[in-house]
Amino acid sequence: MADHDPWWRNAVIYQIYPRSFADSDGDGVGDIDGIRAHLQHLRGLGVDAIWMSPWYPSPMADAGYDVADFRDIDPVFGDLAAAEALITEAHAVNIRMIVDIVPNHISSAHPWFQAALASPDAPEREYFWFRAGRGDRMPTEWVGEFGGTTWTQAPDGQWYLHLFTPEQPDLNWEHPDVRAEFESILRFWFDRGVDGIRIDSAALLLKDGTLPEVIDGEPHPFHDLDGVHDVYRAWRRVADSYPDRALIGEVWMPDVSRFAKYLRPDELHAAFNFDFLGCAWEPRLMRECIDRTLAAHETIGAPATWVLSNHDVTRHVTRYGRAKTTFSFEENLDGTPVDLELGTRRARAAALLSLSLPGATYIYQGEELGLWENENIPADAFVDPMWQRRGHSRDGCRVPLPWSGDEPPFGFSTGTPWLPQPAEWKDRTVQAQSGDPSSMLELYRAAIHLRRTEEGLHRSTMAWLDAAPGVLAYTRGSAFACVLNMSGIPVPLPDHHSCLLASGPLDGTLLPPDAAVWLRLHPGK
Ligand code: NOJ
């Protein structure tokens, strides 16, 4: 990385979903001591930072995205001392720590909400969206982010708003106490050495208090209201009062110009690229997505991010092995035919793409092992609240990691993992893949290592090379190129000095379909 660039502009950031990373105490749920015991894996992979999905005390109505106390750790994961030890130990091996803050809502078990429920006159009611109904009807017909209704009636007859589950009441961001509380929470974690904050549902915080219905063509009552930017300007001032801290937003936004507003110089440092994540495995669309991404970020000087998977979406080995390779919550493709061999080949090529584009790259735990979606979890084992509301469960991408051995629980736990692991993962364990040059894990290790040493990958720009139809080829600097063949037929490589890394074997001198290579170019060309 160029010395003058702040870390968050080029980092490789690894998402840990703590329930499913490694279990140290045999209860079948991953925990902080499990992460501490496996830090070596992340060090060997070469990542720059860890993003930790929520680890706070929570009734787990939404797997921890229902937070009851932002200043402590849920006992299932450990305690604050273990969290502090992890931060110290990660820093000792040059890995930064990012924690997940969920400002749109809190748990219904949080003391604020309990006080608010206790009496219609409680001042804490003002921290939420309590409203009278319209006769017997709820205050609006808004549809929640998981589907279903967004209001639940309190015992005294008033209704409260929840864009997600009833156990996740929305906070009222017009209230100064709410703003002050979250700024204090940011300081709490920054004071503990945390390097960054991932902001959950970042565009939803403000609501139109006149409660209009959602009408096509009219301003949306709770998506992306302009006032949200004041919140992030204030957060940026908090972050800037510490050295080298970063704010990273979860901003799902089809309109790139609106998306870019979150990344203005006095707001967030970065935001996840869901456009890229949801993009089809199709050369024209992929190229347009890359161009759109880079153009939007360039206007405001923010770094692009490249994300293939996370804990909310179908794993990309599965997505890329289907006839329809896009991802959207609106279209349920669960159970449609999958060619995992094809999906794996494409995922390998996608790794070389996402790790060589300018900006920061995110890796979701297990992606480096080539894990696929577990589509064989029995419905009665689902815990994801989205399952009841949308008929799609995110549990299939949240299955505990396979570390070693020939059968479940594959070294994840000495007990029974909270979700079942496919028996076929015996070939995908860290142990089975380590030292096998053809494995996904060794591909990720080699690519991340080269990304560190390769001068061209530290520069901020890329330039497209002329290429055959269906082929994406670009340079980074004067000596590095990446070529990705999405054309369906083998293609010749551009003139080059040597091949640095390939996602799969070449076909003589040709690059096979669904493969990518990193090339050293001749000096001076
Ligand atoms: C986005 C998170 O990534 C997801 O897992 C969660 O269910 C919702 N926000 C609500 O917090």
Side-chain angles (χ1 to χ4, degrees):
M1 243 145 278
D3 291 341
H4 56 273
D5 261 356
W7 67 273
W8 41 269
R9 296 192 74 90
N10 293 301
V12 176
I13 300 173
Y14 184 95
Q15 180 188 357
I16 290 189
Y17 194 71
R19 299 185 79 71
S20 298
F21 189 76
D23 172 22
S24 72
D25 60 8
D27 65 357
V29 176
D31 48 46
I32 296 174
D33 284 348
I35 300 166
R36 294 172 65 195
H38 287 86
L39 262 186
Q40 199 50 41
H41 173 64
L42 302 181
R43 198 181 175 199
L45 199 54
V47 303
D48 300 297
I50 294 169
W51 148 31
M52 185 67 77
S53 277
W55 52 4
Y56 317 105
S58 166
M60 306 285 169
D62 183 17
Y65 282 92
D66 47 321
V67 179
D69 179 358
F70 274 105
R71 296 182 181 81
D72 206 348
I73 299 293
D74 195 281
V76 81
F77 299 132
D79 56 20
L80 203 50
E84 289 173 343
L86 173 61
I87 296 167
T88 306
E89 289 161 10
H91 284 170
V93 292
N94 291 323
I95 295 178
R96 297 179 195 258
M97 287 288 299
I98 298 167
V99 295
D100 207 321
I101 297 290
V102 189
N104 180 68
H105 44 269
I106 57 175
S107 165
S108 53
H110 189 285
W112 276 7
F113 192 73
Q114 287 298 308
L117 263 194
S119 148
D121 304 320
E124 286 83 356
R125 273 215 176 184
E126 301 301 318
Y127 296 165
F128 299 92
W129 287 90
F130 277 85
R131 287 288 187 280
R134 297 166 297 171
D136 289 347
R137 287 155 64 216
M138 47 187 71
T140 68
E141 305 297 325
W142 296 352
V143 175
E145 298 293 302
F146 291 162
T149 58
T150 56
W151 298 89
T152 291
Q153 206 161 18
D156 53 69
Q158 283 209 325
W159 300 78
Y160 69 88
L161 176 68
H162 49 85
L163 294 184
F164 295 90
T165 71
E167 293 81 15
Q168 294 166 292
D170 277 51
L171 287 162
N172 171 15
W173 276 87
E174 307 292 351
H175 202 295
D177 290 1
V178 171
R179 295 188 182 220
E181 171 66 357
F182 274 84
E183 289 175 29
S184 152
I185 291 166
L186 297 187
R187 287 200 189 86
F188 178 88
W189 287 104
F190 286 150
D191 287 342
R192 273 160 188 74
V194 155
D195 304 278
I197 305 287
R198 180 262 187 189
I199 306 163
D200 187 77
S201 305
L204 299 182
L205 273 46
L206 274 285
K207 277 89 193 178
D208 180 342
T210 67
L211 303 186
E213 290 301 340
V214 176
I215 299 170
D216 262 356
E218 300 285 321
H220 198 282
F222 56 85
H223 282 176
D224 188 33
L225 270 63
D226 285 335
V228 76
H229 296 287
D230 289 337
V231 173
Y232 297 130
R233 285 193 191 100
W235 285 29
R236 180 62 178 254
R237 288 193 290 274
V238 175
D240 283 350
S241 67
Y242 295 79
D244 276 348
R245 303 305 206 264
L247 302 171
I248 301 151
E250 188 208 14
V251 184
W252 292 85
M253 186 112 13
D255 177 339
V256 283
S257 63
R258 298 286 311 179
F259 173 88
K261 284 183 190 280
Y262 288 79
L263 301 176
R264 288 176 291 194
D266 58 349
E267 297 193 40
L268 308 183
H269 298 78
F272 298 105
N273 188 350
F274 293 116
D275 192 19
F276 182 69
L277 183 154
C279 185
W281 190 259
E282 202 281 322
R284 184 180 57 81
L285 295 175
M286 193 63 95
R287 182 169 169 152
E288 284 172 6
C289 169
I290 293 168
D291 282 339
R292 197 162 50 237
T293 298
L294 293 174
H297 289 77
E298 206 172 2
T299 53
I300 30 143
T305 66
W306 308 102
V307 188
L308 294 169
S309 279
N310 67 26
H311 66 293
D312 290 331
V313 307
T314 307
R315 282 192 178 271
H316 61 275
V317 165
T318 298
R319 287 189 340 250
Y320 290 156
R322 289 175 174 160
K324 188 153 195 184
T325 51
T326 47
F327 179 81
S328 146
F329 285 114
E330 272 61 57
E331 190 176 19
N332 189 343
L333 298 170
D334 296 350
T336 56
V338 188
D339 178 343
L340 288 177
E341 201 258 325
L342 175 67
T344 302
R345 204 160 59 238
R346 290 176 169 173
R348 294 176 64 88
L352 295 198
L353 175 70
S354 68
L355 285 163
S356 66
L357 289 167
T361 302
Y362 286 77
I363 297 173
Y364 173 49
Q365 69 177 37
E367 149 180 352
E368 80 281 20
L369 304 177
L371 301 188
W372 59 85
E373 186 83 1
N374 184 358
E375 295 197 273
N376 295 317
I377 301 176
D380 61 5
F382 284 149
V383 300
D384 180 13
M386 195 183 265
W387 167 243
Q388 297 297 337
R389 290 171 178 74
R390 269 187 199 246
H392 164 74
S393 169
R394 296 168 295 176
D395 291 319
C397 68
R398 299 174 173 180
V399 173
L401 292 190
W403 290 96
S404 58
D406 289 331
E407 53 189 40
F410 296 122
F412 165 74
S413 171
T414 54
T416 305
W418 69 284
L419 285 173
Q421 300 158 304
E424 297 82 2
W425 281 3
K426 69 177 189 316
D427 298 332
R428 305 265 166 157
T429 64
V430 173
Q431 187 182 47
Q433 297 193 47
S434 291
D436 172 359
S438 70
S439 70
M440 186 73 89
L441 178 56
E442 293 299 349
L443 179 74
Y444 268 81
R445 286 177 177 160
I448 296 170
H449 178 75
L450 269 171
R451 183 183 160 102
R452 254 177 215 285
T453 54
E454 194 59 27
E455 188 64 27
L457 293 178
H458 305 166
R459 303 194 180 192
S460 57
T461 54
M462 57 98 83
W464 292 109
L465 286 173
D466 285 342
V471 177
L472 304 192
Y474 51 89
T475 55
R476 298 283 315 276
S478 59
F480 177 93
C482 175
V483 185
L484 166 61
N485 182 4
M486 301 174 108
S487 76
I489 52 166
V491 295
L493 290 171
D495 186 26
H496 62 280
H497 173 268
S498 53
C499 179
L500 297 168
L501 189 61
S503 68
L506 298 187
D507 176 358
T509 57
L510 302 179
L511 182 64
D514 298 312
V517 276
W518 284 2
L519 300 176
R520 159 80 59 249
L521 301 177
H522 291 293
K525 288 214 173 166

